[in-house]
Amino acid sequence: MTLTELRYIVAVAREKHFGRAAEACFVSQPTLSVAIKKLEEELDVKLFERGGAEVSVTPLGDEIVRQAQQVLEQAQAIKEIAKRGKNPLAGPLRLGIIYTIGPYLLPELVKHAIAQTPQMPLMLQEHFTVKLLEMLRTGELDCAIMAEPFPDTGLAVAPLYDEPFIVAVPATHPLATRETISAEELKRETMLLLGTGHCFRDQVLEVCPEFARFSSQTEGIRKSFEGSSLETIKHMVASGMGITVVPVLSVPKEPSEHVRYIPFTPPAPTRRVVLAWRRSFPRYEAIAALRNAVYACQLNGVTLLS
């Protein structure tokens, strides 16, 4: 049994496909298949069901894959401990970030990370919360910036900042002249939402649960439309299709000709943005350096948390 064979079975379990797993491991598919078959013969168990378009993991195989992941993490930890003895900030940091934070935090964050820790480049991965949690668990990421709440997976979590929400309306909308808007008033409007999978969509629905009912006959809301990104939704607002709710960091620094951004009537709904990492991750100094880079950012409208 070798670490390479363990890496192969973890890749197949993740990709559910031998070809994609081989590509992820930078080997040919026959090489990967032969190695896995050898491991199955050594253990005298069947790890994968190979029928159909997708490969599935057997119940016993699932246990073995989980243990293999732990072994690989521990092997990586040995390397990290050796690096840490020389310089804990040396080498890349694999950072995940959700779609509704990345475009607005990363420009400042990367600038400060380069200035403070140039020897620690950030390898960035943008995705949904559920995918980032999986990538943290499997060791594909070292840490991730996400918004609470998310399922308790035993990760270490440090708060970064609280970010209020703000209402975006077309410049020609009757509400565009208002100083503040209440959540109750939004119930009578056409709402534009992010698509399923975005945690920010769920947070907006918590502010006004009526938006979850996609019926034109539903009292209190005429229609709801979906967009793939906050920037796409802002363009839809500008064109007059409806209104939306956005996090304050996504508000442009320069005034928009076609969209007005109006605060909620206090207390404004907010989201807490946090940094999460595996408790077994040995480079705590790298995590601390990343947090310091976030705190150095000029993040207008948010409340930084130490």
Side-chain angles (χ1 to χ4, degrees), residues 5 8-9 12 17-19 21-22 25 27-41 47-48 50 55:
E5 291 167 352
Y8 289 169
I9 66 171
V12 172
H17 190 276
F18 278 84
C25 295
V27 296
S28 67
Q29 184 172 336
T31 297
L32 179 135
S33 297
V34 167
I36 290 178
K37 183 169 175 41
K38 174 178 170 292
L39 181 60
E40 287 180 321
E41 290 174 351
L47 299 174
F48 302 105
R50 294 166 170 80
V55 174

Side-chain angles (χ1 to χ4, degrees), residues 111-215:
K111 178 179 72 174
H112 287 289
I114 291 171
Q116 295 177 9
T117 52
Q119 73 277 34
M120 188 183 78
L122 298 178
M123 296 178 62
L124 301 170
Q125 175 74 57
E126 207 175 19
H127 227 298
F128 296 118
T129 298
V130 64
K131 180 62 176 177
L132 295 181
L133 289 171
E134 179 188 340
M135 295 176 77
L136 280 172
R137 181 181 64 81
T138 59
E140 295 173 80
L141 291 176
D142 300 322
C143 55
I145 295 176
M146 302 177 288
E148 289 185 330
F150 49 80
D152 181 11
T153 55
L155 296 170
V157 175
L160 296 175
Y161 56 83
D162 286 339
E163 181 177 22
F165 300 162
I166 199 162
V167 183
V169 304
T172 56
H173 195 283
L175 292 174
T177 58
R178 296 284 298 277
E179 293 294 323
T180 64
I181 298 176
S182 69
E184 186 68 26
E185 291 175 288
L186 299 186
K187 297 176 183 178
R188 298 186 291 273
E189 302 298 328
T190 300
M191 191 67 175
L192 308 177
L193 297 170
L194 283 170
T196 304
H198 290 276
C199 61
F200 187 71
R201 168 198 173 93
D202 301 329
Q203 291 157 358
V204 171
L205 292 177
E206 284 183 16
V207 176
C208 284
E210 290 79 6
F211 295 149
R213 308 172 196 162
F214 298 118
S215 168

